[in-house]
Structure formats: structure tokens, C-alpha cells
Amino acid sequence: MGKSRLDQLQAYHAKYFGAVTATQESLAQALYLETQQQENFVIAVNNGICQALSE
């Protein structure tokens, strides 16, 4: 895994878990949470666009 990818995972971990010690499991959980948040954002934007175009 590249350094930048690990840095990104550590940033996600800090965002969701604060000062908790990072483990492989908690890094995976942080990645999952970030992925879910991004998917929810995409869905919300799509719904907003559809709603705006239907009015």
C-alpha cells in the first residue's frame, strides 16, 4: 500500500475515531464509513437533481 493511501486511511480514522489507536480493523471500519458517507452524498445529490428537474 502506498504512503499516500495509508495517510488517507489514517485521516479517515482520525475523522471517525479521533485519538483511538489505529488497528487494521479500525482502519477498515473508517474506510467503510467514509465509503458509505460518499455513497449517501451521491444519492442525495442525485435525488436533489431529480427533484429540481421534475418541478
Side-chain angles (χ1 to χ4, degrees):
M1 179 180 306
K3 183 179 182 331
S4 63
R5 181 70 172 154
L6 183 57
D7 290 343
Q8 188 175 28
L9 283 174
Q10 289 173 336
Y12 293 157
H13 187 274
K15 176 180 178 181
Y16 292 107
F17 299 113
V20 175
T21 302
T23 64
Q24 285 185 347
E25 184 176 343
S26 64
L27 288 171
Q29 290 171 338
L31 179 59
Y32 173 80
L33 291 170
E34 185 66 22
T35 301
Q36 287 302 114
Q37 183 180 21
Q38 290 297 318
E39 288 179 16
N40 290 342
F41 180 72
V42 167
I43 291 168
V45 169
N46 287 335
N47 288 341
I49 292 170
C50 289
Q51 186 175 10
L53 292 177
S54 68
E55 293 180 357

